[in-house]
Amino acid sequence: MTFERIAIIGLGLLGGSIGLAVRDHLPGAVTTGYDADPATRTRAAERGLVGTVCDSAADAVREAQLVILCVPVGAMAEAAAEIAPALPAEALVSDVGSSKEAVAKALAAALPNNAVIPAHPVAGTERSGPDAGFATLFQQRWCIVTPPDGADPAKVTALSAFWEALGARVEIMDPAHHDLVLAVTSHLPHLIAYTIVGTADDLEGVTQSEVIKYSAGGFRDFTRIAASDPTMWRDVFLSNKDAVLDMLQRFTEDLTALQRAIRVGDGARLFDHFTRTRAIRRSIIEEGQDDARPDFGRSDHGS
Amino acid sequence: MTFERIAIIGLGLLGGSIGLAVRDHLPGAVTTGYDADPATRTRAAERGLVGTVCDSAADAVREAQLVILCVPVGAMAEAAAEIAPALPAEALVSDVGSSKEAVAKALAAALPNNAVIPAHPVAGTERSGPDAGFATLFQQRWCIVTPPDGADPAKVTALSAFWEALGARVEIMDPAHHDLVLAVTSHLPHLIAYTIVGTADDLEGVTQSEVIKYSAGGFRDFTRIAASDPTMWRDVFLSNKDAVLDMLQRFTEDLTALQRAIRVGDGARLFDHFTRTRAIRRSIIEEGQDDARPDFGRSDHGS
């Protein structure tokens, strides 16, 4: 079972990258696409993100075997409702949302007559919109597939093979566990980055110009993910509230402990903590999940 | 007034990079160096980080016109005491420490007979040791010079010219203000990164393998600076305690406000915050302080 007609709803960073990756890796497949924003549709057509950019979500899915919803998590129910009347009964519906329990519920409720297997490719950049996508976004990245109870194993296999064809590695996971794992590897980091960038922006004793000039001391690293799409991230936090608040509580406890170590001058505790956290980066690089060069391989050292 | 004989005490990332940058940009200058670790001295000689690697700090500074202490902030007083007996009266002493009020006091106390003008090049990577340095580290980065009251303007100018020759831009700043600015642009980001990496490492419901595999969702960005040198960072937090605790308090308040917005489902507040933080990254890129390419220009997308 392979997909020859693929519809992509939402033509931003993720949707556009899927379209371009399909063109490169599945040359026999036909892609259709739609985006609610007319300017995005125009630009998507210019870039050739999909074979045909349609004027409605219904038109885009009318012949599809696989539909991938690439809209913010909070817009999934509405997108599903838009495609429902035109969706072929045998079409498989999936998505790329960053939280899975809420999305699974919304899609199952909106599309009771179709197979729905949510998924989440753990890949992206801080860019968004129809100019942000590129064909290699999923190379070496993990795509987490979260089939509901009773999902057809053949469909799970087909969806997994689709993502593998695009260069991803696939893991099958329970949606609730996905939401817990991503709360720590993605949602909490984004929340912390958004917070610290806001804190720096609000200071009265340090000018914004100073924050910018001396950002190479570490701050600039946080500004990258704090430049991510606001709508997408608002929806992620609202839809994965419980897991995010749980992780945030743990983080705050740990931060308080280090704060106390600084206040009382407990250098040994700081040193031990800072030594322990070195190891995890080595593992991430060994697993192929980050650039091994110093400074992420940034090219701003004038060479 | 230019420096023809430069001594570098401490041959890790910063000391080594200074030595290599002097070789490239000040071909007439002679460099000597010393490191307390014999293995580092051997490696520094192999890499040619300085012209002559000496067997003691005193030997390294005996003929120097400029001495730059490149040791952890907490080791400055001891390094100064080691060079004091051999230091020429006319030698200017500077450093590269990340906090400046504490270092200024320590150096002034240990070297009452010499001119001391502390400085801090805001540059670095997560690597440390004698293999970490490279000649272009300071290109386009700011070096903050913090002269004490009554410093000789000619010496301030000479030290500034030295850093400019190495590719840096120079700013003169009061040491207390430096410590406040760097608390937000460098020290707080490092503390937060160290915290979140520790939090992720301690979870019982999520395995370390999962944290590593799905780190491309944002977490991996934090692991870079959490891989920085533990001794250096222990000393930074202990020596800039007040400013760090002040910034931490502000950060915690802001985080609590966002936490509450998530808890009560205040999407508008989240959206507004996330929109505001986008602008600062644009400014950092425009000012030449980060790589303009998405994802820091990481090359791990398989292309």
Side-chain angles (χ1 to χ4, degrees):
Chain A
M1 182 188 196
T2 55
F3 304 109
E4 284 163 12
R5 295 185 302 280
I6 300 158
I8 303 170
I9 307 301
L11 297 170
L13 170 65
L14 271 285
S17 295
I18 293 172
L20 294 171
V22 167
R23 192 182 63 182
D24 280 10
H25 296 289
L26 297 169
V30 171
T31 52
T32 51
Y34 172 75
D35 194 285
D37 176 6
T40 296
R41 292 203 296 276
T42 301
R43 186 68 190 126
E46 286 166 2
R47 287 196 70 203
L49 298 181
V50 289
T52 308
V53 176
C54 301
D55 289 329
S56 73
D59 282 349
V61 305
R62 218 172 284 284
E63 317 249 299
Q65 296 167 319
L66 171 64
V67 177
I68 307 182
L69 301 174
C70 304
V71 300
V73 169
M76 290 285 179
E78 192 183 331
E82 269 181 68
I83 63 170
L87 194 63
E90 68 281 9
L92 172 63
V93 177
S94 188
D95 77 307
V96 297
S98 299
S99 66
K100 299 268 59 95
E101 273 205 298
V103 169
K105 272 182 206 154
L107 296 186
L111 303 168
N113 303 318
N114 279 77
V116 174
I117 302 178
H120 176 206
V122 185
T125 77
E126 67 276 26
R127 305 286 174 90
S128 49
D131 282 296
F134 52 101
T136 58
L137 178 63
F138 309 109
Q139 294 291 323
Q140 276 203 284
R141 294 286 85 83
W142 287 91
C143 180
I144 302 174
V145 174
T146 60
D149 288 342
D152 177 356
K155 289 196 165 70
V156 175
T157 302
L159 184 64
S160 300
F162 171 78
W163 279 106
E164 283 163 357
L166 269 46
R169 308 190 228 175
V170 171
E171 184 91 14
I172 307 293
M173 203 181 280
D174 173 74
H177 189 63
H178 165 279
D179 288 358
L180 191 66
V181 171
L182 271 289
V184 67
T185 63
S186 180
H187 308 172
L188 180 61
H190 276 78
L191 187 66
I192 300 289
Y194 278 124
T195 303
I196 192 174
V197 175
T199 303
D201 199 33
D202 282 341
L203 294 175
E204 68 282 2
V206 177
T207 67
Q208 194 175 86
S209 160
E210 288 173 325
V211 168
I212 290 162
K213 281 164 79 174
Y214 310 118
S215 61
F219 178 75
R220 61 178 180 165
D221 282 27
F222 292 72
T223 62
R224 187 186 77 78
I225 60 180
S228 302
D229 185 57
T231 304
M232 171 189 160
W233 283 98
R234 176 199 63 197
D235 288 0
V236 168
F237 294 120
L238 295 180
S239 68
N240 196 24
K241 182 190 293 197
D242 293 345
V244 168
L245 291 177
D246 176 26
M247 291 301 164
L248 194 50
Q249 179 62 32
R250 292 161 188 267
F251 169 81
T252 303
E253 285 168 17
D254 294 344
L255 186 61
T256 303
L258 286 179
Q259 179 173 5
R260 186 173 181 283
I262 292 172
R263 196 181 294 283
V264 303
D266 186 350
R269 180 170 188 146
L270 296 174
F271 182 83
D272 288 348
H273 186 101
F274 301 166
T275 302
R276 188 161 67 87
T277 50
R278 284 193 123 167
I280 205 161
R281 179 152 188 88
R282 277 196 296 275
S283 305
I284 286 172
I285 289 170
E286 283 161 14
E287 220 266 339
Q289 294 304 311
D290 209 342
D291 199 310
R293 292 171 298 166
D295 228 354
F296 304 121
R298 277 177 173 119
S299 69
D300 60 348
H301 290 304
S303 53
Chain B
M1 182 189 197
T2 56
F3 304 109
E4 282 163 13
R5 296 185 302 280
I6 300 158
I8 302 170
I9 307 301
L11 297 169
L13 170 64
L14 271 286
S17 294
I18 293 171
L20 294 171
V22 167
R23 192 182 64 182
D24 280 10
H25 294 291
L26 297 169
V30 171
T31 53
T32 51
Y34 172 76
D35 194 285
D37 177 7
T40 296
R41 292 203 294 277
T42 301
R43 187 66 191 126
E46 286 166 3
R47 286 197 70 203
L49 299 182
V50 289
T52 308
V53 176
C54 302
D55 288 330
S56 73
D59 283 350
V61 306
R62 218 172 285 283
E63 317 249 299
Q65 296 167 318
L66 171 65
V67 177
I68 307 181
L69 301 174
C70 304
V71 300
V73 169
M76 289 285 178
E78 193 182 330
E82 270 181 68
I83 63 170
L87 194 62
E90 68 282 8
L92 172 64
V93 177
S94 188
D95 76 308
V96 297
S98 300
S99 65
K100 297 266 64 88
E101 274 206 297
V103 169
K105 272 183 205 153
L107 296 186
L111 303 167
N113 303 318
N114 279 79
V116 175
I117 302 179
H120 176 207
V122 185
T125 77
E126 66 277 26
R127 304 284 174 87
S128 48
D131 283 297
F134 52 99
T136 56
L137 178 62
F138 309 110
Q139 294 291 324
Q140 277 203 283
R141 293 286 85 81
W142 287 92
C143 181
I144 302 175
V145 175
T146 59
D149 288 342
D152 176 356
K155 289 196 165 71
V156 175
T157 302
L159 184 65
S160 300
F162 170 80
W163 279 106
E164 282 164 357
L166 269 46
R169 307 190 227 175
V170 171
E171 184 91 13
I172 307 293
M173 204 181 280
D174 173 73
H177 189 63
H178 166 279
D179 288 358
L180 191 67
V181 171
L182 271 290
V184 68
T185 63
S186 179
H187 308 170
L188 181 62
H190 276 79
L191 187 67
I192 285 170
Y194 278 124
T195 304
I196 193 173
V197 175
T199 303
D201 200 34
D202 281 341
L203 293 175
E204 70 282 359
V206 176
T207 67
Q208 193 174 88
S209 160
E210 288 174 324
V211 168
I212 290 162
K213 283 164 79 173
Y214 311 118
S215 61
F219 177 74
R220 62 177 180 167
D221 283 26
F222 292 72
T223 64
R224 187 185 77 77
I225 61 179
S228 302
D229 185 57
T231 304
M232 170 189 161
W233 282 97
R234 177 198 64 197
D235 289 359
V236 168
F237 295 120
L238 297 180
S239 67
N240 196 24
K241 184 190 291 196
D242 293 345
V244 168
L245 292 177
D246 176 27
M247 290 300 166
L248 194 48
Q249 179 62 32
R250 292 162 188 267
F251 169 81
T252 304
E253 286 168 16
D254 293 345
L255 186 60
T256 302
L258 285 180
Q259 180 172 6
R260 186 172 182 284
I262 293 172
R263 196 181 295 283
V264 304
D266 187 350
R269 181 171 185 144
L270 296 174
F271 183 84
D272 287 348
H273 186 102
F274 301 167
T275 303
R276 186 161 68 89
T277 50
R278 285 193 123 168
I280 204 161
R281 180 155 186 86
R282 274 196 299 274
S283 304
I284 285 172
I285 289 170
E286 283 161 14
E287 220 267 339
Q289 295 303 311
D290 208 342
D291 199 310
R293 293 171 297 165
D295 229 354
F296 303 121
R298 277 177 173 119
S299 69
D300 61 349
H301 289 303
S303 53

